[in-house]
Amino acid sequence: MADLARFKRYAGICALVLGAILAVVFLLPIALPFLIGYALARCVERPVTLLQQRTGLKRWLCSGLCMLLLFLLAGGGLFLLIRQLIREVSSFSEQLPELLSGLAAPAEQVQSWLTELASRAPDGFGIALQNWIDSLFDGSSGLPGRLTARLFSFAAKIVAALPDLFLFVLTLVLSSFMFSANLPATRAAIAKLIPQKWQRKAQQLLSQLRTALGGWLKAQAMLMGVTFLVVTAGLMVLQLGYPLLFGALIALIDALPLLGAGVILIPWSLLSFLRGANRCAIGLILVYGAAALIRSALEPKLIGKQIGLHPILTLAAMYAGYRLMGLAGLILFPIAAILLQQVLKLTLPHRSEGQGG
């Protein structure tokens, strides 16, 4: 009987994990604008209720006014930020050919250094390594050319994704207005779908999920903001171009698990050193050190041990997410792992409780 109970428990865990993976891969991309719309409706619920009580207006009008104000504030902030980013991207793209041509001399130094290392390798491996180095730095198909091709490819993907992004935002906005106007009725309808005996456990589960996921998202947003401010301020002090653009890009990369600000700042520093800009190279290393130190100091306090995942689980979630969904999976699967962790904590008995004192 004990073996049968253990088998049922493990089978339930496997089914739950498989269901979570399938839900993230197939259902989440479809449901995401509606989930965000419902979350926004919950955020403005208190102002909607207060406005309705103070003015006596109908709920749909109060919810429409509150949601409209929310989107105007958010849209205004995004407009100012995106306008500045577009200016910097436009200016950066104009100077990109000159910047890439300036990589020729440092690339030759790196090539000669790698060639010297390859000459010291055993014959078979050294020849293969030398051929790879030659192909990497070969003329127009070398590193600067490849960087240009990658940038144009990335820009083409962004342009191709604009129709889907517009549809996503439109669905999100419409669903948020609809949810807010009918939130009490929507919550009552959802409660009717859940059996009475499950409602208490479901409320407890939703409370834990809200705490864990909300805390994780707030912590990541705050950490991204701190990294953005530190990097942008550092680039301004060093009098480097496009501080807002690179600050936003580095903050976004720094939020991805296993990556960090060093992915951009360390190669940038090495390139500056090869070009003879020692002051810039040292400054970039100091900016990276400050950003990494501040993030390391703040992350445990902001996220907390009860919200974070074990490093192995985080790595497994990232790898599975990348293999199944690409870059989006790097973000969505760790979030799904947090949700699954909270579900398992609530639904499965603790081992210590099962063993007794």
Side-chain angles (χ1 to χ4, degrees):
M1 294 296 294
D3 292 339
L4 180 60
R6 188 179 297 111
F7 173 76
K8 289 182 177 180
R9 181 184 302 176
Y10 291 150
I13 294 175
C14 292
L16 196 59
V17 172
L18 180 60
I21 293 175
L22 293 177
V24 171
V25 174
F26 296 106
L27 297 181
L28 186 59
I30 299 175
L32 189 58
F34 299 97
L35 293 175
I36 298 177
Y38 181 77
L40 292 177
R42 291 292 301 270
C43 290
V44 301
E45 177 60 18
R46 182 172 296 180
V48 169
T49 303
L50 291 176
L51 183 61
Q52 189 177 12
Q53 291 175 352
R54 299 285 179 84
T55 62
L57 297 174
K58 293 184 178 180
R59 179 180 174 85
W60 65 268
L61 182 57
C62 296
S63 62
L65 292 174
C66 291
M67 291 301 304
L68 181 61
L69 179 60
L70 176 64
F71 281 117
L72 286 176
L73 293 175
L78 285 175
F79 172 77
L80 295 177
L81 179 61
I82 292 175
R83 185 179 66 174
Q84 183 62 29
L85 287 175
I86 290 176
R87 288 178 179 176
E88 294 195 1
V89 169
S90 177
S91 178
F92 179 73
S93 62
E94 293 176 357
Q95 299 185 19
L96 185 60
E98 181 181 354
L99 293 174
L100 291 177
S101 64
L103 293 176
E108 291 178 359
Q109 297 180 23
V110 174
Q111 182 179 9
S112 62
W113 179 67
L114 292 176
T115 302
E116 183 180 355
L117 290 179
S119 64
R120 301 177 184 178
D123 292 339
F125 179 72
I127 294 175
L129 186 59
Q130 181 63 54
N131 292 333
W132 176 81
I133 294 172
D134 292 339
S135 64
L136 180 64
F137 293 90
D138 183 24
S140 62
S141 63
L143 189 58
R146 292 183 181 181
L147 287 175
T148 305
R150 291 285 179 88
L151 288 174
F152 279 111
S153 176
F154 180 70
K157 290 180 180 179
I158 292 178
V159 173
L162 287 179
D164 290 338
L165 179 61
F166 175 77
L167 180 61
F168 179 89
V169 173
L170 180 62
T171 305
L172 186 155
V173 172
L174 293 177
S175 65
S176 65
F177 277 98
M178 293 177 183
F179 279 129
S180 181
N182 302 278
L183 189 59
T186 302
R187 297 176 66 177
I190 294 175
K192 289 182 180 179
L193 296 176
I194 303 175
Q196 189 69 29
K197 62 179 181 179
W198 291 358
Q199 287 190 13
R200 182 178 179 182
K201 183 171 287 189
Q203 291 176 357
Q204 185 180 358
L205 175 60
L206 289 175
S207 177
Q208 292 183 1
L209 292 179
R210 192 180 303 116
T211 301
L213 185 58
W216 187 82
L217 292 175
K218 289 179 182 178
Q220 292 299 329
M222 293 177 66
L223 291 172
M224 287 180 63
V226 170
T227 302
F228 172 76
L229 292 176
V230 171
V231 173
T232 303
L235 297 181
M236 288 181 175
V237 171
L238 294 174
Q239 297 180 349
L240 296 174
Y242 319 106
L244 188 63
L245 172 64
F246 285 110
L249 178 62
I250 292 172
L252 180 62
I253 293 176
D254 192 50
L256 298 176
L258 297 185
L259 298 179
V263 172
I264 291 182
L265 291 178
I266 291 179
W268 191 356
S269 174
L270 293 176
L271 181 62
S272 300
F273 178 76
L274 291 174
R275 298 179 64 179
N278 295 332
R279 174 182 172 275
C280 179
I282 296 174
L284 290 173
I285 290 296
L286 292 177
V287 171
Y288 166 67
L293 182 62
I294 294 175
R295 183 180 180 88
S296 300
L298 292 179
E299 191 167 18
K301 298 179 181 179
L302 292 177
I303 296 179
K305 295 182 179 179
Q306 75 278 6
I307 296 176
L309 291 172
H310 191 279
I312 294 297
L313 295 178
T314 304
L315 180 62
M318 288 173 47
Y319 180 76
Y322 181 75
R323 298 294 297 179
L324 294 173
M325 297 183 64
L327 292 178
L330 285 175
I331 300 175
L332 294 179
F333 267 63
I335 295 177
I338 292 176
L339 301 181
L340 182 60
Q341 176 180 259
Q342 297 300 319
V343 172
L344 293 176
K345 281 183 179 181
L346 184 63
T347 57
L348 295 180
H350 296 290
R351 181 171 297 180
S352 59
E353 296 176 356
Q355 292 175 349

